[in-house]
Amino acid sequence: PFASLDADEFGAEPFAMEADWALPQLVGYLRTWSAVSRFRAEHGDDPVDEVEGELAVAWGSRERLRVQWPLTLRVGRVSA
């Protein structure tokens, strides 16, 4: 929608959101994704169930792990 605007873009420092989560929090977060909801509606089963066991093996005995969401910004100033 902004492609037609005359804007001067400039860089933004990369950054990430971080949280310390237990495995059930990560699994619950995955289940909030719209793609997961669409899959459940279309196929009648939860695709997260298919990876939950593998996640548990990778998670190991750790109670909590740090999760990160790298964020990217496209920043600019619109010329008058």
Side-chain angles (χ1 to χ4, degrees):
F2 299 109
S4 63
L5 293 177
D6 184 19
D8 296 320
E9 288 192 44
F10 51 92
E13 292 293 320
F15 64 102
M17 293 186 342
E18 296 181 349
D20 292 325
W21 274 0
L23 180 58
Q25 289 173 288
L26 176 62
V27 170
Y29 170 69
L30 295 176
R31 287 191 170 110
T32 68
W33 290 2
S34 59
V36 171
S37 295
R38 284 192 306 272
F39 187 94
R40 277 195 309 261
E42 198 170 308
H43 299 281
D45 61 334
D46 187 345
V48 177
D49 289 343
E50 295 180 30
V51 298
E52 189 171 2
E54 291 177 47
L55 287 170
V57 169
W59 203 271
S61 62
R62 295 166 289 208
E63 188 174 314
R64 301 179 85 73
L65 285 175
R66 169 83 29 118
V67 293
Q68 286 187 331
W69 298 266
L71 301 172
T72 304
L73 299 177
R74 186 173 181 187
V75 181
R77 185 171 291 114
V78 177
S79 302

